Amino acid sequence: LCELRSCFGKLTPKEREVLPRLLLGVPSRRLAGEMHVTYQTIDRHRKRVMEKLNVDNMTELAMKLYRQY
């Protein structure tokens, strides 16, 4: 397990770009359209973020962020 802050360093620039929008609940298809990628790419970013930050879903990630800050 890694501390949340140190885990953020493991995220790619694209994962860091996508993460705040996903936490706000922007649908993958809409985000994909805005970023000119497929929704599968956005879902892949989400999956990798969750793996790297050791969470099972975006709600768990939001709660970890809330508790840390």
Side-chain angles (χ1 to χ4, degrees), residues 12-69:
T12 66
K14 283 293 183 189
E15 290 167 348
R16 283 190 220 125
E17 180 181 351
V18 168
L19 179 57
R21 304 292 307 279
L22 293 173
L23 286 169
L24 288 172
V26 176
S28 294
R29 289 186 188 270
R30 179 172 153 199
L31 188 52
E34 292 171 3
M35 296 180 71
H36 307 288
V37 297
T38 67
Y39 76 91
Q40 292 96 336
T41 299
I42 300 299
D43 285 343
R44 192 174 319 117
H45 288 318
R46 176 190 296 126
K47 180 180 176 184
R48 289 183 180 154
V49 165
M50 291 188 324
E51 288 173 356
K52 290 176 182 180
L53 299 180
N54 196 34
V55 296
D56 294 323
N57 55 58
M58 296 307 286
T59 302
E60 183 181 354
L61 176 56
M63 292 304 297
K64 278 188 172 186
L65 288 170
Y66 177 78
R67 283 188 219 118
Q68 183 141 0
Y69 299 99

